[in-house]
Amino acid sequence: MSVLRAAPVACGHYLPERVVENDEFTKTLDTSDEWIQARSGIKRRRFAAPHQKTSDLAAEAARDALAKAGMEASELDAIVLATATPDQTFPSTATRVQHEIGMKGGFAFDVAAVCAGFMYALSTANALIVTGQAKTVMVIGAETFSRIMDWSDRGTCVLFGDGAGALILTAEEGAGDKTDRGVLSVKLHSDGAYNNLLYVDGGPSTTQTAGFLRMEGRKVFQHAVTKLAEVAHEALDEIGAGSEEVDWLVPHQANSRIIESTAKKTGLPMEKVVMTVAEHGNTSAASIPLALSEWHARGLVKRGDLLLMEAIGGGLAWGAAAMRW
Ligand code: UT7
């Protein structure tokens, strides 16, 4: 049986120039490079320059993906952009990117699922393609979390970074089984009972300010290590694949200990795990496409590889996807 698949064409990414080492935080906070590395695996992260907005980072990643695909912006039917740090409350950051890259037609919108945002955006783009509403869609994850940090809170401000990643998907005919290229399964979950574990203490309809990120790190950690392994299994079960068939686990890059635990529970050796958390920190919705694009640029992700992606964040919201490159 022939089915429509959302198949990957190319990916791209952008990291702001400013590198911030762990040691920089020791000037103002009671923390250390040793603690940050031991508890999170993070060595450094990038922060956007004052003039750079989330849309600027996203547009750079979008241009990189288009260049790698050998495509023009006019060939895109839609942009689905995941962010929790939009330029403004509205218009959507996606429409700014649409304009910045010179995409005249089609449509663009944002998706909000914080660190799980890329999974939600991928799911949305996949649905647009398989239902025939769009042929070619750019999925972007872009964040400037440095703008919502409380610099006096050592439990959060050392963990996050800025960046953007983009993935172009296009409709392709497939056989309808796990050998097809493209998005093979996406599993999403959320549970608003956990809103208070990870949130921003502001917003237009509450404080009329953007607010700062607040997190009960230990509790989020506990949810992450159980929920990510469960949803990763769901995504593989859906397509009848075993973990031994996975070429790369591309996890949300929040904490190396969470990544190692999920890999173990999913039955994947660390040689098959994409790890960029040491260099990028937690870039929320940008982390998966950033990691994927870096690995692809290094020649490590090849046509036909089965990728398993997973993420969890504020909401709580979490999800996983299986996609053949
Ligand atoms: O992307 C969205 C999803 N987010 C996540 O996945 C993050 C999940 N959580 C985590 O990654 C970890 O929980 C953290 C890295 C945030 C923290 O690691 P932890 O092992 O859970 O540490 P903890 O929060 O239990 O804190 C241990 C100690 C505390 O001191 P006491 O209470 O034991 O005296 C903290 O006050 O470490 C202290 N601490 C720090 N010490 C030095 C917290 N932050 C720091 C710091 N430097 N930056």
Side-chain angles (χ1 to χ4, degrees), residues 44-61:
R44 54 189 70 84
R45 74 289 290 142
R46 305 291 186 101
F47 284 165
H51 69 275
Q52 285 182 309
K53 300 183 291 293
T54 295
S55 64
D56 297 315
L57 275 50
E60 292 285 357

Side-chain angles (χ1 to χ4, degrees), residues 49-305:
H51 69 275
Q52 285 182 309
K53 300 183 291 293
T54 295
S55 64
D56 297 315
L57 275 50
E60 292 285 357
R63 286 190 200 100
D64 187 34
L66 285 170
K68 284 171 176 156
M71 286 173 65
E72 301 291 333
S74 58
E75 293 174 67
L76 299 174
D77 299 313
I79 296 175
V80 184
L81 185 147
T83 191
T85 45
D87 292 12
Q88 292 160 275
T89 303
F90 74 83
S92 69
T93 302
T95 56
R96 290 195 176 275
V97 176
Q98 180 187 27
H99 180 64
E100 268 195 58
I101 65 172
M103 180 183 158
K104 302 267 191 288
F107 57 98
F109 60 97
D110 291 356
V111 164
V114 207
C115 294
F118 189 75
M119 291 292 92
Y120 278 68
L122 183 80
S123 173
T124 308
N126 180 51
L128 290 172
I129 290 173
V130 301
T131 56
Q133 210 178 337
K135 186 170 178 289
T136 305
V137 181
M138 170 114 67
V139 191
I140 303 176
E143 302 279 16
T144 47
F145 260 50
S146 62
R147 304 278 154 75
I148 54 165
M149 289 296 111
D150 173 352
W151 300 112
S152 66
D153 178 9
R154 66 177 184 170
T156 56
C157 74
V158 301
L159 301 173
F160 294 89
D162 301 339
L167 169 69
I168 301 172
L169 298 169
T170 198
E172 242 178 55
E173 295 258 319
D177 61 37
K178 65 182 175 182
T179 65
D180 289 345
R181 290 190 70 236
V183 177
L184 300 174
S185 65
V186 194
K187 292 286 173 186
L188 301 178
H189 298 276
S190 66
D191 189 343
Y194 301 116
N195 275 185
N196 61 346
L197 296 188
L198 178 48
Y199 64 98
V200 163
D201 63 3
S205 83
T206 49
T207 58
Q208 296 83 52
T209 63
F212 295 109
L213 182 144
R214 306 292 172 204
M215 178 168 72
E216 291 201 42
R218 200 177 300 188
K219 287 188 182 155
V220 175
F221 189 102
Q222 286 159 359
H223 283 286
V225 294
T226 53
K227 291 182 166 56
L228 288 174
E230 279 169 16
V231 76
H233 278 294
E234 282 177 35
L236 287 182
D237 289 348
E238 169 98 353
I239 60 166
S243 57
E244 71 287 351
E245 294 173 60
V246 174
D247 294 290
W248 288 109
L249 176 67
V250 194
H252 171 47
Q253 306 284 321
N255 185 313
S256 57
R257 291 185 293 140
I258 296 174
I259 295 172
E260 282 155 11
S261 155
T262 309
K264 198 172 170 194
K265 287 186 183 172
T266 316
L268 284 160
M270 288 309 290
E271 303 82 70
K272 288 188 169 188
V273 181
V274 176
M275 275 278 225
T276 55
V277 65
E279 300 298 316
H280 301 168
N282 182 346
T283 58
S284 180
S287 90
I288 289 177
L290 248 174
L292 174 61
S293 179
E294 276 220 359
W295 242 240
H296 189 263
R298 291 189 208 174
L300 295 168
V301 174
K302 298 185 189 66
R303 195 179 169 89
D305 279 357

